[in-house]
Amino acid sequence: RGRPVADAVVWLRPSPDAIARARAPIEERSVRTGADGAFAVEGLAPIEWLVEVSAAGHVTEQFAATVPHRGELRGVRVDLVPVRERVFQLYRRAAEPILPEPRLWGVWSPRQIVDHVRGRRPTPALAELTAFVEEIYFSARLADEEVLPTASDHVDRAIRERARPAS
């Protein structure tokens, strides 16, 4: 969303290929972002680096970046997705079919969607998922990315339960 993330950790390590070609050991590096979300790492070897950016309440991003021969790589922007938003994205697979029209997913607010699903007397698994999503999405506490596998499992259970024929 373009907002700066302060105190994120930017960790750089040489790629396995760069390590294999190196004549001398290449040190891993890490820095923290400032209040404005900016960071600078100076004196990097002109090789391919594996970069990992993490921050509390956000999904960790990983990518490769090659530092050119002159040693400057500028304007790198890393967009971190809040964990709560990723959980809500996962919820879509289970909740969207409950909406009166699928297009409402992009129109209704998250609160309207959760309230609508809850009001439709969902299956037990979807009710449990909806309560989980409500806690993660609307809580003042920052959720850690370790909740993502649990969210995914809840979604899969809700979809499987909905697909079962009524007995």
Side-chain angles (χ1 to χ4, degrees), residues 107-127:
V107 175
W108 282 3
S109 71
R111 172 50 65 201
Q112 288 172 300
I113 291 169
V114 166
D115 288 348
H116 178 78
V117 171
R118 181 169 283 118
R120 300 288 298 176
R121 295 191 193 145
T123 63
L126 183 55

Side-chain angles (χ1 to χ4, degrees), residues 48-66:
E48 182 179 68
W49 292 87
L50 302 178
V51 183
E52 182 176 291
V53 183
S54 60
H58 292 79
V59 179
T60 299
E61 289 293 331
Q62 298 175 336
F63 58 94
T66 301

